[in-house]
């Protein structure tokens, strides 16, 4: 019998902490008095209203574990039911060991684990890996987890006004944890995935490793124009991949795209050929939650009744690096 993989469920853990766009701007002005910042600029440029902020004591593994516990409760899954755990976050508890071990320990898992990282496309790549493992017969149930505490990378103190445009994106990030369960089944679930890269564009968005900088903490720096330019040629490849998978944009019952800002969300929709009105907007009230963006849209669609078993779902990601990818599944 042919083995297929299906996404069983998706959950998120949304921290209770909130920071309004006005509060973000006020804190930046206090930390960078020599850098002019007009009021409401984050709302106008990015579409941000407020962002989610995790408790100072919580690490990425905590947020990922919170989301996984909710998934276990929703699906009746126990620690012994998971054959493999993947952690796909950009941020980690530590350099060694893999944060997946920390998440697994908090969940009481005894299965193999490993980290998988590819900027904001980490979760999509994790779904690709889970699908391949399941179809090969290596594992039957794979738990994909991720989490970000990106608000801690916000650049509050600038000395040079010329750095403002590369620092502003760091003020629009949000914290969150997510979990998805992928399991073997007898019906097609994940129908296919395709990924592409323009690795020459990696300099557009960087967060240096402190150990590579002689223990000097690096800053999140994003050149938005350079980042958009680094996706040259990738939108056409993604549209071609969708056709190769035998799917048209209008065929999709639910469309999920990575949302680093409201304007960029509209750009991505144009790139992949879908109506922006079909997207569940998550950025304005959460911020750029990076690898959590697509799980958040899936969870929100489930909670609101927008997503049902049997629906055709398209998940599209454009991430720094640069990379682009699409995963199509029958829910």
């Amino acid at each position: 019998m042919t083995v297929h993989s299906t996404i069983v469920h998706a959950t998120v853990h949304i921290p209770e902490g909130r920071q309004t766009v006005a509060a973000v701007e006020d804190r930046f002005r206090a930390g960078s008095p020599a850098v002019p910042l007009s009021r409401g600029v984050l709302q106008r440029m990015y579409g941000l209203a407020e962002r989610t902020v995790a408790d100072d004591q919580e690490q990425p593994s905590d947020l990922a574990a919170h989301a996984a516990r909710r998934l276990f409760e929703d699906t009746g899954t126990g620690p012994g039911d998971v054959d493999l755990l993947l952690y796909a976050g950009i941020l980690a508890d530590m350099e060694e060991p893999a944060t997946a071990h920390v998440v697994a320990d908090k969940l009481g898992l005894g299965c193999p684990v490993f980290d998988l990282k590819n900027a904001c496309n980490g979760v999509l790549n994790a779904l690709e890996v889970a699908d391949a493992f399941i179809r090969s017969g290596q594992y039957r149930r794979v738990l994909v987890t991720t989490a970000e505490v990106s608000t801690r990378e916000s650049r509050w103190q600038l000395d040079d006004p010329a750095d403002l445009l590369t620092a502003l994106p760091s003020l629009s990030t949000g914290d969150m944890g997510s979990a998805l369960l992928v399991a073997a089944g007898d019906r097609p679930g994940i129908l296919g995935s395709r990924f592409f890269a323009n690795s020459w564009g990696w300099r557009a968005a960087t967060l240096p490793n402190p150990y590579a900088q002689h223990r000097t903490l690096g800053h999140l720096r994003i050149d938005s124009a350079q980042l958009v330019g680094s996706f040259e040629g990738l939108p056409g490849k993604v549209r071609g991949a969708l056709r190769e998978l035998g799917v048209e944009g209008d065929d999709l019952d639910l469309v999920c795209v990575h949302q680093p800002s409201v304007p960029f969300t509209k750009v991505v929709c144009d790139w992949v050929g879908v109506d922006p009105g079909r997207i569940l907007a998550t950025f304005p009230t959460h911020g750029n939650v990076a690898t959590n963006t697509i799980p958040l849209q899936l969870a929100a669609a489930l909670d609101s009744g927008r997503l049902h078993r049997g629906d055709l779902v398209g998940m599209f990601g454009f991430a720094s690096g640069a990379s682009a990818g699409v995963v199509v599944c029958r829910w």
Side-chain angles (χ1 to χ4, degrees):
M1 182 183 70
T2 302
V3 177
H4 303 280
S5 71
T6 299
I7 302 176
V8 177
H9 196 44
T11 56
V12 293
H13 171 72
I14 302 175
E16 294 182 359
R18 291 274 169 174
Q19 190 174 40
T20 66
V21 68
V24 172
E25 292 174 354
D26 287 344
R27 181 172 175 182
F28 177 83
R29 290 190 193 90
S32 304
V35 179
L37 183 72
S38 60
R39 186 161 298 280
V41 66
L42 291 173
Q43 174 71 50
R44 293 193 301 273
M45 289 184 64
Y46 301 111
L48 182 69
E50 61 179 358
R51 63 180 188 167
T52 54
V53 181
D55 185 273
D56 289 343
Q57 303 304 312
E58 293 211 296
Q59 297 301 311
S61 63
D62 292 309
L63 303 186
H66 291 327
R69 291 189 190 101
R70 179 179 174 185
L71 184 146
F72 285 174
E73 182 178 344
D74 288 353
T75 61
T77 302
D81 297 326
V82 178
D83 302 320
L84 173 71
L85 180 142
L86 304 177
Y87 177 78
I90 299 170
L91 300 181
D93 283 30
M94 56 193 74
E95 289 296 308
E96 186 177 350
T99 296
H101 286 291
V102 188
V103 177
D105 179 51
K106 290 176 178 178
L107 295 175
L109 304 184
C111 63
V113 308
F114 63 86
D115 285 1
L116 185 157
K117 181 179 291 189
N118 188 19
C120 294
N121 275 341
V123 164
L124 289 186
N125 285 123
L127 291 176
E128 177 187 36
V129 169
D131 174 55
F133 273 138
I134 288 172
R135 287 190 293 105
S136 71
Q138 184 80 8
Y139 304 106
R140 289 192 59 81
R141 295 182 189 86
V142 178
L143 178 63
V144 175
T145 62
T146 191
E148 309 293 353
V149 287
S150 307
T151 60
R152 297 172 194 176
E153 305 300 332
S154 297
R155 294 172 62 183
W156 301 115
Q157 297 178 330
L158 295 182
D159 296 321
D160 188 350
D163 292 334
L164 180 60
L165 286 180
T166 64
L168 281 180
S170 75
L171 305 182
S172 66
T173 58
D175 304 336
M176 192 171 292
S178 303
L180 301 96
L181 181 62
V182 187
D186 56 5
R187 70 173 183 85
I190 296 179
L191 303 179
S193 59
R194 299 289 187 276
F195 289 88
F196 312 95
N198 283 342
S199 296
W200 50 261
W202 70 267
R203 295 172 183 82
T206 58
L207 178 61
N209 184 314
Y211 297 101
Q213 302 293 322
H214 306 289
R215 297 184 180 272
T216 300
L217 182 64
H219 295 292
L220 178 60
R221 176 191 178 279
I222 300 178
D223 185 320
S224 298
Q226 188 178 2
L227 181 59
V228 171
S230 71
F231 295 121
E232 179 183 353
L234 297 184
K237 292 182 178 180
V238 169
R239 291 194 300 271
L242 197 62
R243 291 191 297 270
E244 183 182 323
L245 294 171
V247 176
E248 298 290 338
D250 291 341
D251 298 334
L252 298 169
D253 297 299
L254 180 68
V255 179
C256 302
V257 302
H258 177 50
Q259 300 183 25
S261 71
V262 170
F264 190 75
T265 300
K266 295 177 181 177
V267 168
V268 171
C269 288
D270 182 59
W271 281 352
V272 301
V274 298
D275 181 358
R278 299 178 60 193
I279 304 298
L280 285 169
T282 58
F283 177 86
T285 55
H286 297 87
N288 178 5
V289 290
T291 54
N292 295 285
T293 306
I294 286 177
L296 174 59
Q297 291 167 77
L298 292 173
L302 287 169
D303 291 343
S304 64
R306 284 275 301 271
L307 179 58
H308 307 88
R309 192 57 66 188
D311 282 354
L312 189 63
V313 180
M315 295 169 274
F316 301 88
F318 288 85
S320 59
S323 73
V326 54
V327 176
V328 176
C329 75
R330 182 71 66 180
W331 193 257

